[in-house]
C-alpha cells in the first residue's frame, strides 16, 4: 500500500527523519511509536506532502508521491489527522465533515454560484452523507454546533471522521487518543476496528502503549529520526534496543 | 442555509428578507431626488462591500487596494462605452470581467503571501492603478480632470434616479443571491476552511492557492461592477475617488457591519454611508470618522454591528426563556 524508501529530512543541522524505510500493508493497523521528538510527526508530514523529503522516496500504490502537494495526496487517497487539532473552529461540526468531502464533490465555482439543479442535488446528498459520517463516530447530536465548542476528545473524533469523509485508502492518525478519557479510549479501540472494516488502512502514531499493543498488527519504532525496530507488538516489546531507548526510558 | 433544512425553517429565514425587500420597493414612493440618489449609492456600495466580504470575511485575505478594481470598473466601462459605443450594461459587464482578470493575475503571486505582506502588495497595487489613472498613456483617462460618460438610459431616455433605483436594486438582488449561493456551497466552504486553517484545508484536498485566486477574482468582479454602476449613475468620475481612502472606506463599512455574513455588509454600508452623509460639513474629518468606527469595532464589537445585533437578539430570546437556542447557531459567525 504505502512504501517509503530511505526518507530523510533535515532542518538545518538536525536530521529529523533519517533514512526511514517502511512498508505499510493494506487492511491492517500499523503503529509508529517512539519517544518525544523522534520524528514521528515529521515523518507523517513527509508522507502527506507537508514537507518534501531531502532524499528518499514515498510510494503510494506503486506511484511516487514525494514532492506532491497535500491536496494532491489527499485526492490520491491518503488523509490524516493532526497531533495539535486542526479543525475549522468557526464552522459547524457537519461543515467540517463536508470540507473533508471536498475532493469527492463534483460541483465547481460556476455551478456553485448559479446553484444549478445538479449542484443542489449533490449538496443535498453531501449533507446527508456528512450526517451519516457523524453517526459513524456518534457526533450527530452536535451536527449544527460550532466546532470550537466540542470537547477535546470529540474534536479528535471529528478530525478522524473529517478525514474519512474523503473516502481514503489510508488514514494517518497522529496521536488520536491524546486528551481522551479512558472511556473514550475504549471507544476509539472499537472505532479503529470499524474503520478497518470500511477498507481503510491505518497508520497510527500513539503514545498510549496499551492501546498500541492492543490494536496494532505491526509496529515501527523510531528514535532520534532513525528506524530502531520493526515487528509484531510482541517482537517490539521484547526487543532490547526498544526497551533501552523507549520503554525503559519511561 | 442547509439543503437539509425543513421547509418551515427556510420560510422563517426568508420572511424577513421579503419584508425588507417590500419596504425597500416602497421607498421611491416617499423619497425625492436626493435621498433616492443616496439609496443608489448605498446599493452599489452594498455590491462592492459584499464582494470584499467574499475575499476578507470568508476567505480571510485582506486587500487595501480594492479601490483599484472599483476604478477599473468605472473607467473601463466609460472608455468602452465612449469609444466602442457598446450598450452601457454590456460595457459594465466587460469592465467587470477585465477587473476579474486583473484580480486573478494579481492574486496568483499574492496568494503565496501571508496576511501583512498581502496587505502591503495590495496597497502598492492600488497606488499603481491610481498613478495610471492620473498619468495615462495618451491621456485617455483624462488624467487629473477625470472622465465623462453617458448616464444610463432606456430607449434614449436617460434614467431618472427613480429608474436607477430599481435597476440598482435588481443588481443588488442578483449579486447578493450569487454571493449567497457561492458561500453556501463547496466553494464557499473551501473559502471559509482556508480562513479558519489553511494548513488543514490543504490537507483536506483543497487547492488553497486556486481558491484564494478565485476569491480574489470574484471580489474584483463585484468591486468593478459597483464602480461601473457609480460611473453611469453620475456620468462623471474624478481620479481622487479612487485613492487609498476609498479602499479604507470599503473596509470600514465591512468591518463595521460585520464580516462573513450576508447582512453585515448591508448594515455596514447603510450605517456608515448615512453617518458620512450627516457629517458632510465635516468632510476633512472623514478619515478621523473611519478611524473611530474601526476602533469601536476592534475594541467593542468584534462581530460588527450585525454580530452585535445578533448577540442582543440571542440574549433577549434566552431571557424570554424560550429555550429554543440551537436553531440559530451562527454558522457564519463573526470572525476576529
Ligand atoms: N518545522 C520544523 N523546523 C525545525 N525543526 C523541526 C520542525 N518540525 C520538527 N522539528 C524537529 O524535529 C524533531 C522531530 O519532531 P517531531 O514533531 O516529528 O517529533 P515527534 O516524534 O512527533 O514527537 P512527539 O511525540 O512529541 O509528537 C524535533 O526535534 C523537532 O524539534
Ligand atoms: Mg508528534
Amino acid at each position: 500500500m504505502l512504501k517509503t524508501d530511505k526518507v530523510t529530512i533535515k532542518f538545518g543541522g538536525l536530521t529529523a527523519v533519517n533514512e526511514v524505510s517502511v512498508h505499510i500493508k493494506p487492511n491492517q493497523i500499523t503503529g509508529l511509536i517512539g519517544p518525544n521528538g523522534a520524528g514521528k510527526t515529521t515523518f507523517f508530514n513527509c508522507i502527506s506532502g507537508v514537507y518534501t523529503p531531502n532524499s528518499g522516496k514515498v510510494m503510494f500504490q506503486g506511484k511516487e508521491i514525494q514532492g506532491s502537494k497535500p491536496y494532491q495526496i489527499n485526492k490520491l487517497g491518503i488523509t490524516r489527522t493532526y497531533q495539535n487539532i486542526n479543525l475549522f473552529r468557526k464552522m459547524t461540526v457537519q461543515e467540517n465533515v463536508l470540507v473533508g468531502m471536498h475532493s469527492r464533490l463534483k460541483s465547481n465555482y460556476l455551478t456553485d454560484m448559479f446553484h444549478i439543479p445538479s449542484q443542489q442535488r449533490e449538496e443535498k446528498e453531501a449533507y446527508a452523507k456528512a450526517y451519516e459520517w457523524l453517526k459513524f463516530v456518534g457526533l450527530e447530536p452536535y451536527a449544527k454546533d460550532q466546532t470550537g465548542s466540542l470537547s477535546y476528545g470529540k474534536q479528535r473524533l471529528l478530525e478522524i471522521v473529517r478525514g474519512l469523509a474523503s473516502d481514503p485508502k489510508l488514514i494517518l492518525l497522529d496521536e488520536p487518543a491524546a486528551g481522551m478519557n479512558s472511556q473514550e479510549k475504549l471507544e476509539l479501540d472499537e472505532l479503529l476496528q470499524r474503520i478497518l472494516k470500511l477498507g481503510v488502512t491505518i497508520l497510527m502514531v500513539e503514545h498510549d502503549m496499551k492501546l498500541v499493543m492492543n490494536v496494532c498488527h505491526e509496529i515501527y519504532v523510531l528514535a532520534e529520526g532513525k528506524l530502531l525496530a520493526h515487528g509484531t507488538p510482541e517482537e517490539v516489546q521484547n526487543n532490547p534496543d526498544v526497551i533501552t531507548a523507549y520503554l525503559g526510558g519511561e | 442555509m442547509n439543503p437539509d433544512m425543513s421547509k418551515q425553517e427556510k420560510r422563517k429565514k426568508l420572511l424577513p428578507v421579503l419584508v425588507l425587500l417590500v419596504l425597500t420597493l416602497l421607498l421611491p414612493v416617499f423619497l425625492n431626488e436626493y435621498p433616492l440618489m443616496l439609496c443608489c449609492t448605498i446599493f452599489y456600495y452594498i455590491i462592492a462591500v459584499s464582494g470584499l466580504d467574499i475575499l476578507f470575511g470568508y476567505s480571510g485575505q485582506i486587500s487595501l487596494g480594492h479601490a483599484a478594481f472599483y476604478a477599473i470598473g468605472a473607467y473601463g466601462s466609460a472608455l468602452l462605452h465612449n469609444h466602442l459605443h457598446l450598450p452601457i450594461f454590456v460595457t459594465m459587464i466587460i469592465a467587470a470581467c477585465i477587473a476579474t482578470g486583473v484580480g486573478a493575475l494579481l492574486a496568483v503571486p499574492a496568494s503565496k503571501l501571508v496576511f501583512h505582506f498581502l496587505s502591503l502588495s495590495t496597497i502598492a497595487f492600488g497606488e499603481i492603478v491610481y498613478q495610471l489613472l492620473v498619468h495615462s498613456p495618451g491621456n485617455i483617462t483624462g488624467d487629473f480632470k477625470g472622465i465623462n460618460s453617458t448616464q444610463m438610459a432606456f430607449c434614449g431616455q436617460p434614467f431618472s434616479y427613480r429608474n436607477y433605483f430599481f435597476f440598482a436594486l435588481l443588481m443588488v438582488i442578483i449579486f447578493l443571491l450569487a454571493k449567497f449561493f457561492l458561500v453556501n456551497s463547496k466553494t464557499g466552504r473551501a473559502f471559509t476552511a482556508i480562513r479558519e486553517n489553511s494548513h488543514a484545508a490543504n490537507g483536506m484536498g483543497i487547492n488553497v492557492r486556486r481558491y484564494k485566486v478565485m476569491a480574489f477574482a470574484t471580489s474584483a468582479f463585484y468591486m468593478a461592477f459597483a464602480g461601473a454602476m457609480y460611473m453611469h449613475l453620475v456620468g462623471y468620475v474624478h481620479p481622487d475617488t479612487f485613492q487609498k481612502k476609498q479602499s479604507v472606506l470599503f473596509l470600514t463599512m465591512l468591518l463595521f457591519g460585520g464580516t462573513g455574513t450576508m447582512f453585515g455588509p448591508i448594515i455596514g454600508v447603510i450605517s456608515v454611508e448615512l453617518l458620512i452623509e450627516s457629517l458632510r460639513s465635516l468632510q476633512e474629518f472623514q478619515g478621523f470618522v473611519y478611524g473611530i468606527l474601526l476602533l469601536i469595532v476592534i475594541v467593542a464589537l468584534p462581530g460588527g454591528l450585525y454580530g452585535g445585533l445578533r448577540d442582543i437578539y440571542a440574549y433577549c430570546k434566552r431571557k424570554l426563556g424560550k429555550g429554543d437556542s440551537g436553531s440559530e447557531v451562527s454558522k457564519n459567525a463573526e470572525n476576529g
Side-chain angles (χ1 to χ4, degrees), chain A residues 70-71 74 80 82 86 88-91 95 98 102 105 107 109 112-113 115 119 123 127 144 146 162, chain B residues 2-3 181 185-187 189 193 196-197 199-200 202-207 211 218 329-331 333 336:
Chain A
Y71 73 87
N74 177 283
R80 66 172 295 181
Y82 300 87
N86 270 331
F88 310 116
R89 295 178 61 86
K90 280 181 181 152
M91 299 175 89
E95 281 169 335
L98 285 161
H102 182 88
L105 298 178
S107 76
Y109 177 81
D112 281 348
M113 185 176 257
H115 202 54
Q119 186 267 351
E123 276 293 289
Y127 266 83
K144 299 276 175 284
Q146 245 193 64
R162 179 183 68 176
Chain B
N2 314 323
F181 288 150
S185 72
K186 172 178 130 176
T187 306
R189 284 192 298 271
E196 287 294 297
N197 192 326
H199 188 64
N202 196 348
M204 292 303 118
I206 294 168
N207 184 341
Y211 277 90
T218 310
V329 179
S330 43
K331 58 173 289 189

Side-chain angles (χ1 to χ4, degrees), chain B residues 9-21:
Chain B
E9 277 174 307
K10 275 187 186 156
R11 223 172 281 152
K12 214 168 122 189
K13 284 215 152 180
L14 215 57
L15 190 68
V17 177
L18 288 179
V19 171
L20 206 67
L21 195 60

Side-chain angles (χ1 to χ4, degrees), chain A:
Chain A
M1 166 131 290
L2 179 85
K3 268 187 193 161
T4 65
D5 182 25
K6 295 195 179 156
V7 166
T8 302
I9 186 156
K10 299 190 177 109
F11 296 118
L14 175 91
T15 308
V17 175
N18 196 349
E19 304 207 332
V20 174
S21 303
V22 302
H23 179 190
I24 311 300
K25 298 186 190 104
N27 302 315
Q28 66 173 31
I29 304 178
T30 307
L32 180 64
I33 61 172
N36 290 110
K40 305 177 296 289
T41 299
T42 308
F43 185 61
F44 267 19
N45 284 336
C46 290
I47 298 173
S48 62
V50 177
Y51 299 141
T52 303
N54 295 101
S55 64
K57 286 181 193 162
V58 182
M59 318 259 283
F60 181 61
Q61 299 190 314
K63 216 176 139 196
E64 286 188 29
I65 58 166
Q66 74 276 8
S68 298
K69 298 278 183 312
Y71 73 87
Q72 294 167 325
I73 289 177
N74 177 283
K75 280 202 183 80
L76 289 177
I78 302 180
T79 190
R80 66 172 295 181
T81 67
Y82 300 87
Q83 180 172 356
N84 47 348
I85 296 176
N86 270 331
L87 287 165
F88 310 116
R89 295 178 61 86
K90 280 181 181 152
M91 299 175 89
T92 67
V93 170
Q94 192 170 18
E95 281 169 335
N96 268 268
V97 179
L98 285 161
V99 173
M101 294 163 70
H102 182 88
S103 53
R104 304 296 161 218
L105 298 178
K106 294 193 186 64
S107 76
N108 59 41
Y109 177 81
L110 287 177
T111 62
D112 281 348
M113 185 176 257
F114 293 111
H115 202 54
I116 63 169
S118 71
Q119 186 267 351
Q120 292 180 34
R121 225 173 305 125
E122 186 184 58
E123 276 293 289
K124 211 178 159 79
E125 285 164 16
Y127 266 83
K129 184 99 183 290
Y131 194 76
E132 289 304 311
W133 275 120
L134 288 175
K135 275 190 184 163
F136 187 75
V137 291
L139 286 178
E140 78 279 5
Y142 311 98
K144 299 276 175 284
D145 291 1
Q146 245 193 64
T147 302
S149 70
L150 288 184
S151 75
Y152 207 68
K154 293 200 169 70
Q155 293 196 16
R156 290 237 175 259
L157 289 179
L158 181 57
E159 273 221 338
I160 295 175
V161 80
R162 179 183 68 176
L164 290 174
S166 65
D167 291 326
K169 299 180 184 99
L170 172 68
I171 186 166
L172 314 176
L173 304 175
D174 200 344
E175 304 199 12
M180 285 191 171
N181 60 36
S182 51
Q183 175 62 29
E184 286 170 329
K185 277 183 189 171
L186 278 179
E187 286 165 12
L188 179 66
D189 190 331
E190 181 259 350
L191 174 64
L192 293 175
Q193 305 306 329
R194 283 192 289 131
I195 293 174
L196 271 189
K197 284 213 187 82
L198 294 174
V200 180
T201 306
I202 300 173
L203 174 59
M204 175 172 83
V205 167
E206 184 49 65
H207 279 299
D208 187 313
M209 280 308 130
K210 204 172 131 230
L211 183 73
V212 170
M213 296 303 163
N214 250 335
V215 301
C216 291
H217 302 99
E218 198 171 349
I219 292 173
Y220 285 88
V221 187
L222 271 185
E224 293 174 5
K226 285 205 191 79
L227 201 59
L228 191 70
H230 154 231
T232 63
E234 293 74 37
E235 283 166 0
V236 166
Q237 263 171 319
N238 298 324
N239 185 317
D241 289 346
V242 177
I243 294 168
T244 41
Y246 187 85
L247 298 173
E250 295 225 323

Side-chain angles (χ1 to χ4, degrees), chain B residues 189-200:
Chain B
R189 284 192 298 271
F191 289 164
T192 314
I194 290 168
R195 178 195 80 202
E196 287 294 297
N197 192 326
S198 63
H199 188 64

